[in-house]
Amino acid sequence: MRNEMMHRPIVNQDVLHYMRTEQKQLTGKLGELETYAHEQGIPVIPHETVVFMQFLLKQLQAKEVLEIGTAIGFSASLMAETLGEDSHITTIDRFPIMIEKAKATFERMGLEERVTLLEGEAAELLQTLEGPYDFIFMDSAKSKYITFLPECLRLLRPGGVLMVDDIFQAGTIFHPIEETPRKNRAIYRKLNEFLETVTKAPDLTSSLLPLGDGVALITKEK
C-alpha cells in the first residue's frame, strides 16, 4: 500500500523535511500509531499537519469536534489527546475495514468513551446531527467535499473552524482539464468548485495553507 498524500507535497523538499523531522514528535501510543501508519503506507495526516492541528485546536479550545473520514482513527485520537478529557469527538466512516481498524485504535488508546464512531454514508449521517461543533475536520472522498460543505457549515458554530485536507492534488487540479487524466477529471472539477465556493462566498472567511497536499481553513460569519 502506498500513501500518495505523503509523496505529493506542495512545498520545497528541504522545508518539508525540516517540518516533518524537527518539529516536536508524538510519543507513546499515538507516536507508535503514526510510525506504523507511515511504515505501512496507510493514509494519515502528515506530521506538519499534525503539529498545526495540535496548535490550532489548543487555541480554539474546542470541546465538540466532528470528523468526516475516520480511516484507522489516527486523527480522531490525535484530536482527543490534544483537547483532553472535556472534549468529545464524533467521527464518520463508511468502509468496514477502516471501521474495524479505528475501533481497535480507540480501544488501544482508551478513547471509547470520548470518541463516537458513526458507521455509514456521511451525506446521510450529517443530516441527522444537530451540533453545533467547535471544529470540523473533513478528510474523506475529495469529490464529496462540495457535497458535504452545506451540512458542515450548518453544524459549525459561528467562530468555529472547518478544516479540509488534501485540496490541491499537488497543484494538478489547476491544470487545463484536457491535460488531466480522464479518471481524475470529475474529482478535479469538484475540488475546483469547492475552492471557488469557499474562497468567494461573502459569508465565509477562508485561508489556504501549504501543509501536506493543501489545507483549507473556513469560518462562517454568522
Side-chain angles (χ1 to χ4, degrees):
M1 184 184 296
R2 176 181 169 88
N3 182 357
E4 289 295 334
M5 179 183 65
M6 300 296 292
H7 301 281
R8 58 184 189 216
I10 53 178
V11 298
N12 176 282
Q13 287 291 332
D14 293 330
V15 174
L16 179 69
H17 177 75
Y18 183 88
M19 290 193 296
R20 290 190 175 177
T21 61
E22 298 303 321
Q23 295 193 92
K24 186 180 294 184
Q25 299 297 304
L26 298 175
T27 59
K29 294 178 180 178
L30 194 58
E32 293 171 1
L33 182 61
E34 183 183 37
T35 298
Y36 168 78
H38 291 169
E39 290 175 348
Q40 299 297 315
I42 298 171
V44 297
I45 56 174
H47 194 69
E48 64 271 27
T49 306
V50 166
V51 175
F52 174 77
M53 180 180 281
Q54 289 177 310
F55 177 85
L56 178 63
L57 288 173
K58 288 179 180 178
Q59 303 312 305
L60 292 173
Q61 298 184 347
K63 301 299 183 184
E64 292 294 329
V65 173
L66 174 64
E67 176 184 54
I68 306 169
T70 312
I72 64 170
F74 172 70
S75 51
S77 298
L78 172 71
M79 292 187 285
E81 285 213 346
T82 300
L83 292 170
E85 296 293 333
D86 293 337
S87 65
H88 187 270
I89 316 297
T90 300
T91 183
I92 299 172
D93 209 289
R94 67 186 180 93
F95 295 108
I97 293 176
M98 290 301 183
I99 288 169
E100 291 307 310
K101 289 182 180 294
K103 287 179 177 178
T105 294
F106 300 145
E107 181 178 0
R108 186 166 60 253
M109 300 286 295
L111 295 172
E112 301 102 311
E113 299 299 319
R114 294 181 45 222
V115 178
T116 299
L117 174 55
L118 303 180
E119 305 175 26
E121 296 288 344
E124 299 172 2
L125 290 171
L126 287 171
Q127 297 178 38
T128 69
L129 301 177
E130 296 183 2
Y133 292 95
D134 305 305
F135 183 76
I136 300 177
F137 181 49
M138 186 152 54
D139 187 13
S140 57
K142 315 314 167 195
S143 63
K144 298 294 186 180
Y145 284 174
I146 188 65
T147 302
F148 299 155
L149 181 62
E151 286 296 323
C152 287
L153 293 175
R154 176 184 69 83
L155 293 166
L156 187 69
R157 71 164 174 81
V161 173
L162 168 62
M163 178 174 173
V164 185
D165 199 27
D166 296 334
I167 57 171
F168 289 144
Q169 303 292 292
T172 57
I173 65 168
F174 305 120
H175 294 174
I177 196 66
E178 60 271 13
E179 297 178 11
T180 302
R182 289 187 179 276
K183 65 179 182 178
N184 295 335
R185 289 182 182 180
I187 295 174
Y188 286 17
R189 286 192 181 99
K190 292 292 186 180
L191 279 172
N192 274 290
E193 183 182 355
F194 171 81
L195 289 172
E196 177 74 12
T197 299
V198 301
T199 57
K200 301 296 195 300
D203 57 342
L204 299 179
T205 300
S206 64
S207 180
L208 308 180
L209 305 178
L211 296 169
D213 191 29
V215 165
L217 298 179
I218 303 152
T219 62
K220 61 181 182 182
E221 298 300 319
K222 59 182 178 179

